[in-house]
C-alpha cells in the first residue's frame, strides 16, 4: 500500500546547502599543492553565511572549564539558563537603550529553532505572512511546511530591498503577519530606524504580527543605524542569534524577545518540541558577551573585505546593492545570464568561487542575481575580485 507523506515533505530545499556540498566536492578535486589557481588558494567559500572565525576564545574556554569541572550538562529550563537570559536582557538594554524583562527572553536552538516556535504560536494554518523578496529561504519554507502562506512583497534597490507600508497596504486582505530583517539576507540592506518604527506601529495598529529577524545586528558598517523592533512595538517578536556577530554558528544558540501574550504559549511549545537548547552551548554563549575585543576584530575584517569588494566589483560591471550590514552582496547579473544556477555552477567550476544562486532567495526574479558572502578568511575574500574578473572576461570573450 502506498504510504502517505505529510506537507513537510513538500518543503523546498535550502539551495545554499546543496551549493556547500558542490563546493566541498570541488575543493576535494583540487591538487593539494595549490596549483589549481594562479593565486595559490583553494575554493573561495563565498556561498555560506558562516563566519570563517570560530567561537571567540573566551566562549570556548568557558565551555571547556564547565566540562572539566564535571558539570552534568543536562536539560536547562525550556527558555534557557536564567543567567544567560539575564545577560541577553542586559545586552539588549546596553545596545538599544531599552530595558527588557528577562522573563520575555527565550533561548532557542539558533534563530532557526525560534522560527517554528514563533510561527506556531502566532499563526494558524492558512494564515498569510508577508515578507520582502528577496528573502531568507527558510522563512517561506518553514511557513509552507507548517501550512501557512508566505506572501512576497517584490522589493527593489529603490527601497533597499526592504518592505514598505505602501506595499503592505496594497495587500487585500492584509496579511496576518510580516517578517522583516534589517540587515537582511541576501542583500545586507537595512531599514532606517524611523522606517522600522513606522512599520512596527502600522503592524500593531492593524493587528499584523511583526516578526523582526535581528540576527545580523552588531554587523553594520555605519550607513544606517541599527534599531530593535522590541522598542517600537509591544506585539512584535524579535529573533536573534549567536551565529553571526558572535561567530558561533555550530553552537546552535539563538534567542527571542517575546511579547507578553506569547510568553507562555511559546514556552509550552518549546518544552514539547526542544525541551531546551544545548546546555554547554548556553554556557559558552553567555561568556561570548565578554569577548567584545575579538568579535570587533572579526567585524573589522568583514568591513575591510566589504570595502575591497565594493570598490573592485563595479569596475567588473557588477552592480552592488547598498550592503549596509551583514556580510552579503546581492549582485545583478541580468546582463550576463538569465540562469543564476548555471552561472554559479560555472563560477565554481572555472574560477573556484562558491556563490549562491539568486533563485534561492527570490523564485520570481532570482535567476538574474547571485549572492556573495564575504565573512570567510580575509585573504580568500581579497583573492575573489581577480578571479571574478578573469571569469567574466573569459565569458565575455567566448
Ligand atoms: C536572516 C537569517 N536568519 C536566521 C538564520 C539562521 O541562523 P541560526 O544559525 O541562528 O539558526 C540565518 C542564517 O544564515 C539568516 O541569514
Amino acid at each position: 500500500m502506498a504510504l502517505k507523506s505529510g506537507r513537510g515533505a513538500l518543503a523546498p530545499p535550502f539551495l545554499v546547502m546543496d551549493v556547500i556540498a558542490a563546493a566541498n566536492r570541488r575543493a576535494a578535486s583540487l591538487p593539494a599543492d595549490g596549483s589549481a589557481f594562479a593565486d595559490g588558494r583553494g575554493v573561495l567559500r563565498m556561498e555560506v553565511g558562516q563566519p570563517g572565525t570560530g567561537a571567540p576564545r573566551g566562549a570556548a574556554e568557558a565551555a571547556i572549564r564547565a566540562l572539566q569541572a564535571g558539570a552534568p550538562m543536562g536539560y536547562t529550563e525550556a527558555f534557557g539558563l536564567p543567567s544567560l537570559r539575564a545577560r541577553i536582557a542586559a545586552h539588549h538594554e546596553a545596545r538599544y537603550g531599552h530595558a527588557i524583562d528577562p522573563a520575555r527572553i527565550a533561548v532557542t536552538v539558533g534563530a532557526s529553532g525560534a522560527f517554528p516556535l514563533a510561527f506556531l504560536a502566532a499563526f494558524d494554518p492558512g494564515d498569510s505572512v508577508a515578507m520582502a523578496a528577496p528573502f531568507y529561504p527558510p522563512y517561506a519554507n518553514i511557513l509552507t511546511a507548517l501550512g501557512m502562506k508566505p506572501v512576497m512583497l517584490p522589493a527593489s534597490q529603490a527601497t533597499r530591498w526592504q518592505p514598505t507600508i505602501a506595499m503592505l497596504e496594497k495587500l487585500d486582505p492584509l496579511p496576518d503577519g510580516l517578517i522583516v530583517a534589517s540587515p537582511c539576507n541576501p542583500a545586507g540592506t537595512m531599514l532606517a530606524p524611523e522606517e522600522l518604527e513606522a512599520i512596527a506601529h502600522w503592524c500593531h495598529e492593524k493587528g499584523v504580527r511583526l516578526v523582526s529577524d535581528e540576527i545580523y545586528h552588531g554587523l553594520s558598517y555605519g550607513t544606517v543605524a541599527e534599531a530593535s523592533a522590541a522598542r517600537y512595538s509591544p506585539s512584535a517578536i524579535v529573533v536573534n542569534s549567536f551565529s553571526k556577530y558572535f561567530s558561533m554558528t555550530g553552537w546552535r544558540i539563538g534567542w527571542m524577545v517575546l511579547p507578553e501574550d506569547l510568553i507562555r504559549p511559546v514556552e509550552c511549545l518549546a518544552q514539547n518540541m526542544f525541551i531546551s537548547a544545548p546546555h554547554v552551548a548556553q554556557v559558552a554563549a553567555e561568556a561570548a558577551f565578554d569577548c567584545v575585543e575579538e568579535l570587533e576584530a572579526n567585524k573589522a575584517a568583514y568591513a575591510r573585505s566589504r570595502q575591497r569588494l565594493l570598490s573592485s566589483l563595479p569596475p567588473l560591471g557588477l552592480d552592488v546593492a547598498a550592503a549596509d550590514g551583514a556580510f552579503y552582496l546581492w549582485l545583478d547579473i541580468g546582463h550576463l545570464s538569465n540562469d543564476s544556477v548555471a552561472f554559479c555552477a560555472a563560477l565554481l567550476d572555472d574560477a573556484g568561487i562558491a556563490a549562491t544562486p539568486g533563485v534561492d532567495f527570490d523564485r520570481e526574479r532570482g535567476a538574474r542575481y547571485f549572492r556573495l558572502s564575504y565573512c570567510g578568511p580575509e585573504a580568500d575574500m581579497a583573492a575573489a575580485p581577480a578571479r571574478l574578473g578573469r571569469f567574466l572576461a573569459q565569458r565575455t570573450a567566448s
Side-chain angles (χ1 to χ4, degrees), residues 110-112 115 136 139 185 213 215-216 241 243-244 252 328:
S112 305
F115 295 132
Y136 174 62
Y139 300 150
N185 177 2
D213 183 351
I215 186 170
Y216 290 104
S241 172
S243 287
K244 308 298 176 174
R252 308 307 304 130
Y328 303 117

Side-chain angles (χ1 to χ4, degrees), residues 14 48-50 109-115 136 138-139 181 183-185 213-216 239-244 248-250 252-254 327-328 371:
F14 184 11
V48 65
Q50 163 147 284
V109 181
S112 305
F115 295 132
Y136 174 62
Y139 300 150
C184 69
N185 177 2
D213 183 351
E214 301 180 358
I215 186 170
Y216 290 104
V239 176
N240 209 322
S241 172
F242 287 88
S243 287
K244 308 298 176 174
M248 295 178 68
T249 48
R252 308 307 304 130
I253 301 292
F327 28 56
Y328 303 117
R371 186 194 75 175

Side-chain angles (χ1 to χ4, degrees), residues 342-351 353 385-396:
F343 180 88
C344 288
L347 188 62
L348 177 60
D349 278 349
D350 301 348
I353 297 178
R387 282 200 198 181
L388 253 172
R390 277 193 296 275
F391 173 77
L392 295 174
Q394 273 160 13
R395 270 180 88 88
T396 319

Side-chain angles (χ1 to χ4, degrees), residues 327-353:
F327 28 56
Y328 303 117
L329 301 177
W330 182 237
L331 298 157
D332 187 346
I333 46 161
H335 57 300
L336 299 167
S337 167
N338 59 5
D339 182 351
S340 57
V341 173
F343 180 88
C344 288
L347 188 62
L348 177 60
D349 278 349
D350 301 348
I353 297 178

Side-chain angles (χ1 to χ4, degrees), residues 6-14 140-142 144-146 363:
R7 67 161 68 92
L10 299 175
F14 184 11
N141 297 349
I142 295 171
T144 305
L146 295 175
R363 289 164 204 161

